[in-house]
CSV table of all heavy atoms in Angstrom, one decimal:
chain,number,residue,atom,x,y,z
A,319,ALA,N,-36.5,-5.0,-153.9
A,319,ALA,CA,-35.9,-3.9,-153.1
A,319,ALA,C,-36.7,-2.7,-153.2
A,319,ALA,O,-36.7,-1.8,-152.4
A,319,ALA,CB,-34.5,-3.6,-153.7
A,320,ARG,N,-37.5,-2.5,-154.3
A,320,ARG,CA,-38.5,-1.4,-154.5
A,320,ARG,C,-37.8,0.0,-154.4
A,320,ARG,O,-38.3,0.9,-153.8
A,320,ARG,CB,-39.7,-1.5,-153.5
A,320,ARG,CG,-40.5,-2.8,-153.8
A,320,ARG,CD,-41.7,-2.8,-152.9
A,320,ARG,NE,-42.7,-1.8,-153.3
A,320,ARG,CZ,-43.6,-2.0,-154.3
A,320,ARG,NH1,-43.5,-3.0,-155.1
A,320,ARG,NH2,-44.4,-1.0,-154.6
A,321,GLU,N,-36.6,0.0,-154.9
A,321,GLU,CA,-35.8,1.3,-154.8
A,321,GLU,C,-36.5,2.4,-155.6
A,321,GLU,O,-36.6,3.5,-155.1
A,321,GLU,CB,-34.4,1.1,-155.4
A,321,GLU,CG,-33.5,2.3,-155.3
A,321,GLU,CD,-32.2,2.2,-155.9
A,321,GLU,OE1,-31.9,1.1,-156.4
A,321,GLU,OE2,-31.4,3.2,-155.8
A,322,ALA,N,-37.0,2.1,-156.8
A,322,ALA,CA,-37.7,3.1,-157.6
A,322,ALA,C,-38.9,3.7,-156.8
A,322,ALA,O,-39.2,4.9,-156.9
A,322,ALA,CB,-38.1,2.5,-158.9
A,323,GLN,N,-39.7,2.8,-156.2
A,323,GLN,CA,-40.8,3.3,-155.4
A,323,GLN,C,-40.4,4.2,-154.3
A,323,GLN,O,-41.1,5.2,-154.0
A,323,GLN,CB,-41.7,2.1,-154.9
A,323,GLN,CG,-42.5,1.4,-155.9
A,323,GLN,CD,-41.8,0.3,-156.7
A,323,GLN,OE1,-40.6,0.2,-156.7
A,323,GLN,NE2,-42.5,-0.5,-157.4
A,324,GLN,N,-39.3,3.8,-153.6
A,324,GLN,CA,-38.9,4.6,-152.5
A,324,GLN,C,-38.4,6.0,-153.0
A,324,GLN,O,-38.7,7.0,-152.3
A,324,GLN,CB,-37.7,3.9,-151.8
A,324,GLN,CG,-38.1,2.7,-151.1
A,324,GLN,CD,-36.9,1.9,-150.4
A,324,GLN,OE1,-36.1,2.6,-149.8
A,324,GLN,NE2,-36.9,0.6,-150.6
A,325,VAL,N,-37.8,6.0,-154.1
A,325,VAL,CA,-37.4,7.3,-154.7
A,325,VAL,C,-38.6,8.1,-155.1
A,325,VAL,O,-38.7,9.4,-154.9
A,325,VAL,CB,-36.4,7.1,-155.8
A,325,VAL,CG1,-36.1,8.4,-156.5
A,325,VAL,CG2,-35.1,6.5,-155.3
A,326,LEU,N,-39.5,7.5,-155.8
A,326,LEU,CA,-40.7,8.2,-156.2
A,326,LEU,C,-41.5,8.8,-155.0
A,326,LEU,O,-41.9,10.0,-155.0
A,326,LEU,CB,-41.7,7.2,-156.9
A,326,LEU,CG,-43.0,7.7,-157.4
A,326,LEU,CD1,-42.9,8.8,-158.4
A,326,LEU,CD2,-43.9,6.5,-157.9
A,327,ALA,N,-41.7,8.0,-154.0
A,327,ALA,CA,-42.4,8.5,-152.8
A,327,ALA,C,-41.6,9.6,-152.1
A,327,ALA,O,-42.2,10.7,-151.7
A,327,ALA,CB,-42.5,7.3,-151.8
A,328,ARG,N,-40.3,9.5,-152.1
A,328,ARG,CA,-39.5,10.6,-151.5
A,328,ARG,C,-39.6,11.9,-152.3
A,328,ARG,O,-39.8,13.0,-151.7
A,328,ARG,CB,-38.1,10.1,-151.4
A,328,ARG,CG,-37.1,11.2,-150.7
A,328,ARG,CD,-35.7,10.8,-151.0
A,328,ARG,NE,-35.3,11.0,-152.4
A,328,ARG,CZ,-34.4,10.3,-153.0
A,328,ARG,NH1,-33.7,9.3,-152.4
A,328,ARG,NH2,-34.1,10.6,-154.3
A,329,GLU,N,-39.4,11.8,-153.6
A,329,GLU,CA,-39.4,13.0,-154.4
A,329,GLU,C,-40.8,13.7,-154.5
A,329,GLU,O,-40.8,14.9,-154.3
A,329,GLU,CB,-39.0,12.6,-155.9
A,329,GLU,CG,-37.6,12.1,-156.0
A,329,GLU,CD,-36.6,13.2,-155.8
A,329,GLU,OE1,-36.8,14.3,-156.4
A,329,GLU,OE2,-35.6,13.0,-155.1
A,330,VAL,N,-41.9,13.0,-154.7
A,330,VAL,CA,-43.2,13.6,-154.8
A,330,VAL,C,-43.6,14.2,-153.4
A,330,VAL,O,-44.1,15.3,-153.3
A,330,VAL,CB,-44.2,12.6,-155.3
A,330,VAL,CG1,-45.6,13.4,-155.5
A,330,VAL,CG2,-43.8,12.1,-156.6
A,331,THR,N,-43.3,13.4,-152.3
A,331,THR,CA,-43.7,13.9,-151.0
A,331,THR,C,-42.9,15.1,-150.6
A,331,THR,O,-43.4,16.1,-150.0
A,331,THR,CB,-43.6,12.8,-150.0
A,331,THR,OG1,-44.3,11.6,-150.4
A,331,THR,CG2,-44.2,13.2,-148.6
A,332,THR,N,-41.6,15.1,-151.0
A,332,THR,CA,-40.8,16.3,-150.7
A,332,THR,C,-41.3,17.5,-151.4
A,332,THR,O,-41.4,18.6,-150.8
A,332,THR,CB,-39.3,16.0,-151.1
A,332,THR,OG1,-38.8,15.0,-150.3
A,332,THR,CG2,-38.5,17.3,-150.9
A,333,TRP,N,-41.7,17.4,-152.7
A,333,TRP,CA,-42.2,18.5,-153.4
A,333,TRP,C,-43.5,19.1,-152.8
A,333,TRP,O,-43.7,20.3,-152.7
A,333,TRP,CB,-42.5,18.0,-154.9
A,333,TRP,CG,-42.9,19.1,-155.8
A,333,TRP,CD1,-42.4,20.4,-155.9
A,333,TRP,CD2,-43.9,19.0,-156.9
A,333,TRP,NE1,-43.1,21.1,-156.9
A,333,TRP,CE2,-44.0,20.3,-157.5
A,333,TRP,CE3,-44.7,18.0,-157.3
A,333,TRP,CZ2,-44.8,20.5,-158.6
A,333,TRP,CZ3,-45.5,18.2,-158.4
A,333,TRP,CH2,-45.6,19.4,-159.0
A,334,VAL,N,-44.4,18.2,-152.4
A,334,VAL,CA,-45.7,18.6,-151.9
A,334,VAL,C,-45.7,19.0,-150.4
A,334,VAL,O,-46.3,20.0,-150.1
A,334,VAL,CB,-46.7,17.5,-152.2
A,334,VAL,CG1,-48.1,17.8,-151.5
A,334,VAL,CG2,-46.9,17.2,-153.6
A,335,HIS,N,-45.0,18.2,-149.6
A,335,HIS,CA,-45.0,18.4,-148.2
A,335,HIS,C,-43.7,18.8,-147.5
A,335,HIS,O,-43.7,19.2,-146.3
A,335,HIS,CB,-45.6,17.2,-147.5
A,335,HIS,CG,-47.0,16.8,-147.8
A,335,HIS,ND1,-48.0,17.7,-147.5
A,335,HIS,CD2,-47.5,15.8,-148.4
A,335,HIS,CE1,-49.2,17.1,-147.9
A,335,HIS,NE2,-48.9,16.0,-148.5
A,336,GLY,N,-42.6,18.7,-148.2
A,336,GLY,CA,-41.3,19.1,-147.7
A,336,GLY,C,-40.5,18.0,-147.1
A,336,GLY,O,-41.1,16.9,-146.8
A,337,PRO,N,-39.2,18.2,-146.9
A,337,PRO,CA,-38.3,17.1,-146.5
A,337,PRO,C,-38.6,16.6,-145.1
A,337,PRO,O,-38.4,15.4,-144.8
A,337,PRO,CB,-36.9,17.7,-146.6
A,337,PRO,CG,-37.2,19.2,-146.6
A,337,PRO,CD,-38.5,19.4,-147.3
A,338,GLU,N,-39.1,17.5,-144.2
A,338,GLU,CA,-39.5,17.0,-142.8
A,338,GLU,C,-40.6,16.0,-142.8
A,338,GLU,O,-40.6,15.0,-142.1
A,338,GLU,CB,-39.8,18.2,-142.0
A,338,GLU,CG,-38.6,19.1,-141.6
A,338,GLU,CD,-39.0,20.2,-140.7
A,338,GLU,OE1,-40.1,20.2,-140.2
A,338,GLU,OE2,-38.2,21.1,-140.4
A,339,ALA,N,-41.6,16.2,-143.7
A,339,ALA,CA,-42.7,15.3,-143.8
A,339,ALA,C,-42.2,13.9,-144.3
A,339,ALA,O,-42.7,12.9,-143.9
A,339,ALA,CB,-43.8,15.8,-144.7
A,340,VAL,N,-41.3,13.9,-145.2
A,340,VAL,CA,-40.7,12.7,-145.7
A,340,VAL,C,-39.9,12.0,-144.6
A,340,VAL,O,-40.1,10.7,-144.4
A,340,VAL,CB,-39.7,13.0,-146.9
A,340,VAL,CG1,-39.0,11.7,-147.3
A,340,VAL,CG2,-40.5,13.5,-148.1
A,341,ALA,N,-39.2,12.7,-143.9
A,341,ALA,CA,-38.4,12.1,-142.8
A,341,ALA,C,-39.3,11.4,-141.8
A,341,ALA,O,-39.1,10.3,-141.3
A,341,ALA,CB,-37.5,13.1,-142.1
A,342,GLN,N,-40.5,12.1,-141.5
A,342,GLN,CA,-41.4,11.6,-140.5
A,342,GLN,C,-42.1,10.4,-141.1
A,342,GLN,O,-42.4,9.4,-140.3
A,342,GLN,CB,-42.4,12.7,-140.1
A,342,GLN,CG,-43.3,12.2,-138.9
A,342,GLN,CD,-43.7,13.4,-138.0
A,342,GLN,OE1,-43.8,14.5,-138.5
A,342,GLN,NE2,-43.9,13.2,-136.7
Side-chain angles (χ1 to χ4, degrees):
R320 298 184 71 77
E321 182 184 1
Q323 282 87 346
Q324 293 177 45
V325 172
L326 175 66
R328 182 194 70 209
E329 292 291 316
V330 182
T331 308
T332 298
W333 185 41
V334 174
H335 294 298
E338 290 185 6
V340 173
Q342 190 148 29

